[in-house]
Amino acid sequence: MKKLLFLFFLIPIITHAQPSKKITRIDSVLTYLHQRQLFNGTVLIGEKGKVLYKKAFGIANPKTQAPLTTGSSFNLASVSKQFFTMMIMILKEQGKLNYDDAVQKYLPQFPYNNITIRHLMNQTSGLPEYFDIASSDLTLIDTLNNQSMLELLAAKKPPLVFQPGEQWQYCNTNYTTLASVLEKVSGTTSDKFFQQYIAGPLKLSNTYIYHLNMKSYPPSRVFGFRIEGGKQVLNDLIRFDGIVGDGNVYSTVEDLYKWDQALYTEKLVKKFTFAEAITPGKLNHGEATGYGFGWFIDQPNKVVSHTGSWVGFFNSITRHIDKNQTLICLSNGTDWLASRIIKNIWEDKPVTLPTTHLITNVNIIDGTGLPAVRGSVRILNDFIQDLGALTPFPNESVTDGKGKTLAPGFIDSHSHHDGGLEKNPSAIAVISQGITTVVVGQDGGSTPIDSIILSMNNIPVSVNVASYTGQAWLREKFMKGGVLRKATPTEIDSMKVVLAREMDKGSLGLGTGLEYEAAFYSSRDEVIELAKVAAAKGGRYISHLRSEDLNIEEAIDEIITIGRQAKIPVQITHFKIAMRSKWGNSDKILRQLESARLEGINITADVYPYTMWNSTPRVLFPKKDFDNLANAEFATRELFDPAASVMVRYSPNRAWQGKTVTEIATLNNETPAQGLLRIIRESAAPGQGATIVAKSMSESDISNFIKWPYSSICTDGTMSGHPRGHGAFTRVLGRYVREQKLMPLETAIQKMTSLAAENAGIKNRGLITPGYYADLVLFDPETIIDNATIENSTALSTGVNQVWVNGKLVYSEMKAVPNFSGRFVKRN
């Protein structure tokens, strides 16, 4: 009943071919699909009453393994609708109703007095979908029927989605109500009327109405199923299926072709009566809808069609009425591909063929935190199709995992690698760690969403990119007088408008870098006002705290307050305690975060596994007094170790790059504090800059933060500089998991995948499960390790064997594979 959409790899098949060649190609494609568990069903193609092609593939019942035949009866799902409108047309010709009669005329308990029978048939009534209404009322032993559905509508009287005739919206409630009108007017049940006036006269020997309130079903009935772990699992009728009108007509391809051919005659109704069924309905203001009475009008007077999907059934009928050509495809295997491919081949359009790839002989860690299981994973185009004890399909490409571990691709919760993607589209810094998605827009800086998408379209890359919208970017955009002050209400309002627009384009939410000068002077109220905009759009908030050292307690209180007042999930990014005298307070801080979570504030964190951070040395002055010697001395005592902190970038004097602050001070006959002031002063000159990798954290605090159940892993990295850009994830797996045994491997993987996805609001990534994107990493847990150091920050990790992004191999045996399959990941 509801349509399902699949995405697949485009392969040109055939264009402008003769019918016989099309039939040959269709048969070949159907065989290919069936071999890959992508089609189980029957197909018929007819022209002017002659069957050109008719064939069955697979089974009718997963329990009995009975084979399908072209005489097997499928649940037509929404293809049933055309039969119910025909029965209404028959009643009209009998003079028992008119299309513009109010539904209430025949169903007094129906709670809307301005909805007509025509509104129901044309899908313009404004009724809400009945699934949602009935779900809250049914118990596990109830079976919905048409009368109980009418009673629910009368009792609840849910508001209309729009006023009748004002809009078009596909809605199954229209047709369940239509079936109730049919039974009331005819004085008999739908199945009996159907048999008397349609199935009988047309001699449709295997076409009937069946629902769960009936005691038995005919032997031709087909059962729906799906594939799980390579096995057939029943996917058939559920407790909604005591109802009719929107579905539950059963038929065969043979009978449907008889039905199709009868529509060119007057065996059921007059030609002018049926002509209205395949004429687009009109809205109140005269606009055509593209839908008739149970038919989509693809091309007026030329092509009409309908699809139907429910539980395991996916069906379609397409009628080229100008040529008297018909395509019928019925499937009970929970697959939709065949119908679209057949239609496109027949209509000389480019078509799609799916490709599959099997990764076998692996230990699967699926991202849930559960123990690894031995098995295989099948990729279908860019999605995971199945996992379990799978065997290769004929001619299927296979990767032998050789007993290694297969995990979901890692998600870097805080990355700056996007700055290097234009020159390094292979993104080897991240894919070599098993990272398949980077989350950017961090520390308050960001790029507009449109610009990110345009850049990725112009220069395809090998990693997925998701982005927050930076508060500092917004401030710099609207605070023309400079950002070293509080924003005015007018400026904040302007920021809110742009933030809302970026959210609509797919931004994950608001990102701040409150310790940096572009945002340091903003008030808490400003941040909360912006966070409320992100919250209203279903987004999140991530922050480099206002202080990670001297005022860390107040900074943590601030992010908790933002979460509380803006009612938004909040994340502390690159979580650390960067002040020597406060080392060891991680337990206390985590208790504070747990207390906030118990209050209902969804606060999380991400962590990188190093005692060194990477930033501008200006952050070492919490009071922003960059010429204060006393505070420089405080910084060298409390905030970093000058003898172990390296200037990885220093444009005023490139000879100092790679030297520690103490070494630079010694060269100038200065104390480390005086050397720090020199670095700050010289790098502040126009056109100059500096970046420091500063040692200032405790290993025990890092371990505690990593272990916290709500912490994911990040790099906070770039393409060079701090070794975290090339080694954070492999470092966790090699040093913290394997060597230190800080946590089980499955827990670490969960932090890197599903938890990271959850914390960022990313859907359909981070798990190995059917329907999720095929972002995958194959690695050896016994050898995986980081190799990047400050001296060689771009050294690749070892132990990562292969990486797939959206189903394409992008990394293999320490080399990038130029498939460039990365995508922009929008907030869902």
Side-chain angles (χ1 to χ4, degrees), residues 2-161:
K2 292 185 176 179
K3 297 180 181 178
L4 299 183
L5 178 63
F6 290 80
L7 304 175
F8 13 80
F9 183 66
L10 286 172
I11 302 177
I13 297 287
I14 195 167
T15 57
H16 304 294
Q18 295 299 315
S20 60
K21 292 183 178 180
K22 292 180 183 179
I23 292 296
T24 300
R25 186 55 181 161
I26 286 170
D27 184 65
S28 175
V29 166
L30 290 173
T31 300
Y32 173 89
L33 294 176
H34 179 62
Q35 289 174 340
R36 280 154 180 75
Q37 297 178 337
L38 296 173
F39 179 63
N40 190 97
T42 59
V43 173
L44 185 146
I45 300 173
E47 181 177 40
K48 297 177 182 177
K50 179 182 177 181
V51 174
L52 303 181
Y53 179 80
K54 182 175 67 171
K55 196 168 183 179
F57 296 81
I59 61 167
N61 187 331
K63 291 184 177 180
T64 66
Q65 293 293 298
L68 282 172
T69 71
T70 54
S72 299
S73 299
F74 290 70
N75 187 322
L76 298 183
S78 285
V79 175
S80 304
K81 290 179 170 67
Q82 59 198 255
F83 290 99
F84 279 88
T85 56
M86 176 58 75
M87 290 189 279
I88 293 295
M89 287 185 273
I90 291 170
L91 288 175
K92 181 179 183 296
E93 286 199 349
Q94 292 175 353
K96 294 182 178 179
L97 56 73
N98 290 304
Y99 301 150
D100 295 314
D101 289 342
V103 174
Q104 272 190 353
K105 178 178 178 180
Y106 306 103
L107 304 174
Q109 72 270 51
F110 186 69
Y112 311 98
N113 60 13
N114 55 348
I115 294 178
T116 67
I117 293 172
R118 186 185 298 276
H119 288 140
L120 299 179
M121 293 197 292
N122 279 156
Q123 304 269 22
T124 59
S125 72
L127 284 170
E129 191 60 75
Y130 77 83
F131 301 113
D132 299 328
I133 301 167
S135 292
S136 62
D137 184 76
L138 294 176
T139 70
L140 294 178
I141 60 172
D142 289 331
T143 300
L144 188 67
N145 59 49
N146 292 72
Q147 181 57 37
S148 61
M149 188 62 238
L150 268 181
E151 291 170 357
L152 276 174
L153 286 175
K156 294 187 176 184
K157 196 179 181 180
L160 296 176
V161 179

Side-chain angles (χ1 to χ4, degrees), residues 326-601:
T326 307
L327 311 175
I328 303 168
C329 181
L330 306 179
S331 170
N332 64 319
T334 316
D335 44 62
W336 185 252
L337 299 177
S339 175
R340 180 168 295 178
I341 291 174
I342 292 167
K343 187 174 185 290
N344 286 345
I345 291 175
W346 192 257
E347 295 177 358
D348 295 320
K349 295 177 181 177
V351 304
T352 59
L353 261 187
T355 59
T356 63
H357 180 75
L358 187 66
I359 305 171
T360 190
N361 188 22
V362 289
N363 289 316
I364 302 169
I365 298 181
D366 64 4
T368 62
L370 294 173
V373 295
R374 193 78 167 183
S376 303
V377 173
R378 175 164 284 120
I379 299 171
L380 170 62
N381 297 323
D382 45 0
F383 290 97
I384 296 165
Q385 183 191 20
D386 200 7
L387 67 156
L390 311 180
T391 56
F393 295 140
N395 302 314
E396 184 176 32
S397 61
V398 178
T399 294
D400 182 355
K402 298 179 181 179
K404 302 298 190 294
T405 294
L406 187 72
F410 305 150
I411 298 173
D412 184 356
S413 302
H414 181 141
S415 172
H416 298 281
H417 291 93
D418 55 321
L421 287 177
E422 185 174 342
K423 293 183 179 179
N424 301 280
S426 70
I428 197 165
V430 291
I431 61 174
S432 60
Q433 301 179 63
I435 296 168
T436 56
T437 300
V438 295
V439 179
V440 303
Q442 304 285 359
D443 297 328
S446 67
T447 301
I449 299 300
D450 286 343
S451 298
I452 296 174
I453 295 172
L454 179 62
S455 176
M456 294 180 72
N457 287 338
N458 290 338
I459 304 177
V461 299
S462 293
V463 67
N464 301 313
V465 178
S467 183
Y468 286 91
T469 297
Q471 179 216 11
W473 173 70
L474 293 169
R475 298 185 104 236
E476 289 163 351
K477 186 178 182 68
F478 292 106
M479 296 177 67
K480 302 305 182 184
V483 295
L484 304 184
R485 60 176 174 84
K486 295 178 182 179
T488 66
T490 299
E491 290 167 339
I492 293 172
D493 286 343
S494 297
M495 294 183 220
K496 289 164 68 174
V497 170
V498 173
L499 176 58
R501 191 179 304 148
E502 291 293 287
M503 295 296 299
D504 290 339
K505 293 176 181 179
S507 169
L508 299 176
L510 178 67
T512 63
L514 298 177
E515 191 172 29
Y516 297 114
E517 290 156 78
F520 180 80
Y521 298 94
S522 60
S523 68
R524 184 178 295 188
D525 286 344
E526 174 188 327
V527 180
I528 290 172
E529 283 300 301
L530 292 172
K532 286 179 178 178
V533 173
K537 298 287 185 177
R540 311 173 81 83
Y541 174 78
I542 190 168
S543 182
H544 174 132
L545 297 177
R546 202 178 290 267
S547 173
E548 298 175 326
D549 40 55
L550 186 63
N551 299 301
I552 187 172
E553 296 86 358
E554 184 178 346
I556 289 174
D557 177 74
E558 179 177 44
I559 194 171
I560 291 172
T561 300
I562 291 167
R564 180 187 298 116
Q565 294 192 12
K567 295 180 174 57
I568 190 171
V570 294
Q571 183 155 332
I572 301 170
T573 196
H574 49 52
F575 201 8
K576 64 176 74 73
I577 300 174
M579 183 171 173
R580 184 182 300 272
S581 61
K582 295 187 179 183
W583 288 355
N585 284 344
S586 52
D587 288 343
K588 177 182 176 182
I589 290 174
L590 289 174
R591 286 194 295 270
Q592 183 180 2
L593 300 188
E594 287 290 352
S595 178
R597 290 187 63 84
L598 289 172
E599 183 188 332
I601 299 167

